């Protein structure tokens, strides 16, 4: 296994922090990115440094706000300046909101897309020139089983943004293949314990509209949806398995990495639907004579 320089976005907590630590423990040089490293996330920066020292692992933090073009450019530039290269990007930064779709003004939908979709685009535009020049690299996109699996109510903005991110990842995969850049889409299920995803989710800005749902025929539906998800989750469901799966992808030989990896204790059907969609994608590329775009080119 060769040592890789890796950027993990949104790594102050949850899947991102777990992944950054797991990759560092596996012997890689990892940059855990987050915003406000000298502000509200200063304790996370200190904790990461303490953990790295205790573990003898190469885990560093870097200021990078995926909602800012300048911050993405500066964060990537710092990594390349320090490490001399960048091999892997883990697109993990994301945010969830919970409530009836109608109660979210368009600005809240825009914010969901800005974090979950445009954030990855900003990081790509900052980093891909370097990866393309190297002729080798890996993008790991942390998606969601909700894009094609079960879709419980009141998560529409998040589901829509994650579906857009998945579509972006699929398109990038073939547009980068000839540059020797691989793509893997991680598909976690609805882990309701062990991360702050649901606990830190946002709420609709239009509280009056949301109250009409809560007081009408949908009274109690939100709680029932969350309780139902929690009841389906096996007692031994471990969100750290997502991090371990990403380590296995990074450590796999070039050209042998899977296009998709599902880590879904609920088995909500996403793996079946994605299997059909990805097969159709492969067939279309064969039929139009572009099958070579389905595999990364060996440029070095």
């Amino acid at each position: 296994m060769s040592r890789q320089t890796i950027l993990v976005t949104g790594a102050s907590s949850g899947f991102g922090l777990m992944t950054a630590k797991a990759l560092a423990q596996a012997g890689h040089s990892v940059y855990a990115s987050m915003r406000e490293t000298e502000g509200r996330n200063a304790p996370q920066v200190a904790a990461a440094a303490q953990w790295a020292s205790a573990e003898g692992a190469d885990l560093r933090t870097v200021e990078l706000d995926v909602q800012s073009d300048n911050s993405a450019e500066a964060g990537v530039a710092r990594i390349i300046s320090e490490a001399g290269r960048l091999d892997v990007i883990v697109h993990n930064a994301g945010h969830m909101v919970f409530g009836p779709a109608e109660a979210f003004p368009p600005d809240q939908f825009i914010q969901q897309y800005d974090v979950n979709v445009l954030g990855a685009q900003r990081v790509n535009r900052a980093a891909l020139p370097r990866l393309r020049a190297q002729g080798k690299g890996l993008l790991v996109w942390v998606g969601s089983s909700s894009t094609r699996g079960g879709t419980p109510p009141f998560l529409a903005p998040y589901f829509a943004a994650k579906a857009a991110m998945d579509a972006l990842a699929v398109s990038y995969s073939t547009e980068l293949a000839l540059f020797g850049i691989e793509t893997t889409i991680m598909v976690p299920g609805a882990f309701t314990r062990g991360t702050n995803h649901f606990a830190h989710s946002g709420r609709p800005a239009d509280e009056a509209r949301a109250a009409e749902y809560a007081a009408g025929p949908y009274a109690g539906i939100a709680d029932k949806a969350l309780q139902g998800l929690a009841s389906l989750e096996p007692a031994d469901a471990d969100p750290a398995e997502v991090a371990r799966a990403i380590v296995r992808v990074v450590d796999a030989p070039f050209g042998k990495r899977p296009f998709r990896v599902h880590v879904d204790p609920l088995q909500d059907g996403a793996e079946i639907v994605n299997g059909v969609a990805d097969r159709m994608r492969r067939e279309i590329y064969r039929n139009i004579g572009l099958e070579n775009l389905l595999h990364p080119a060996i440029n070095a």
Side-chain angles (χ1 to χ4, degrees):
M1 184 273 296
S2 61
R3 183 185 185 90
Q4 315 244 9
T5 299
I6 303 171
L7 165 62
V8 182
T9 67
S12 64
S13 64
F15 287 141
L17 181 58
M18 293 177 197
T19 298
K21 287 182 173 180
L23 287 165
Q25 285 179 318
H28 299 289
S29 178
V30 181
Y31 285 82
S33 85
M34 59 193 77
R35 57 184 176 174
E36 298 183 48
T37 53
E38 296 181 357
R40 66 181 178 90
N41 278 325
Q44 282 80 357
V45 171
Q50 184 178 20
W51 178 90
S53 177
E55 294 288 325
D58 189 1
L59 175 65
R60 314 176 195 191
T61 53
V62 60
E63 172 74 29
L64 198 162
D65 181 356
V66 299
Q67 292 185 269
S68 163
D69 291 11
N70 291 338
S71 182
E73 293 281 353
V76 169
R78 182 194 146 189
I79 294 169
I80 293 171
S81 174
E82 288 184 4
R85 64 182 297 111
L86 178 57
D87 303 295
V88 181
I89 301 169
V90 180
H91 286 304
N92 169 76
H95 181 58
M96 174 186 287
V97 294
F98 185 84
E102 185 187 339
F104 291 97
D107 283 352
Q108 281 191 289
F109 269 79
I110 291 170
Q111 193 269 346
Q112 283 285 283
Y113 279 83
D114 198 32
V115 175
N116 293 297
V117 187
L118 300 184
Q121 176 68 356
R122 291 186 183 98
V123 173
N124 275 355
R125 283 181 52 80
L128 285 178
R130 181 68 183 210
L131 269 66
R132 288 190 290 104
Q134 291 170 180
K136 193 174 184 180
L138 169 66
L139 301 187
V140 179
W141 303 72
V142 181
S144 170
S145 67
S146 65
T147 59
R148 289 197 175 103
T151 51
F154 298 150
L155 284 160
Y158 176 73
F159 288 166
K162 278 297 188 181
M165 180 191 185
D166 189 282
L168 187 65
V170 170
S171 292
Y172 258 121
S173 69
T174 49
E175 293 183 13
L176 294 174
L178 298 186
F179 290 108
I181 299 173
E182 291 184 276
T183 293
T184 294
I185 303 172
M186 299 299 303
V187 189
F191 288 92
T192 61
R193 298 184 296 272
T195 72
N196 295 321
H197 218 34
F198 282 90
H200 289 173
S201 60
R203 294 292 184 267
D206 190 340
E207 296 179 0
R209 198 77 59 96
E212 292 175 9
Y213 278 77
Y218 282 85
I221 293 294
D223 288 340
K224 188 172 183 179
L226 293 176
Q227 291 166 6
L229 284 173
S231 69
L232 289 176
E233 187 175 344
D236 61 352
D238 183 4
E241 179 54 31
V242 175
R244 291 190 287 269
I246 291 174
V247 172
R248 290 193 291 270
V249 168
V250 170
D251 287 348
F254 178 80
K256 301 295 184 182
R257 290 164 171 143
F259 181 63
R260 264 186 216 277
V261 178
H262 293 79
V263 184
D264 182 12
L266 273 66
Q267 293 293 300
D268 68 3
E271 189 165 2
I272 296 169
V273 181
N274 276 326
V276 174
D278 292 341
R279 188 194 76 203
M280 295 306 300
R281 164 182 166 271
R282 292 192 300 270
E283 290 183 4
I284 286 292
Y285 271 78
R286 280 196 293 268
N287 290 343
I288 63 176
L290 292 175
E291 187 176 5
N292 62 318
L293 301 187
L294 297 172
H295 309 283
I298 299 174
N299 297 320

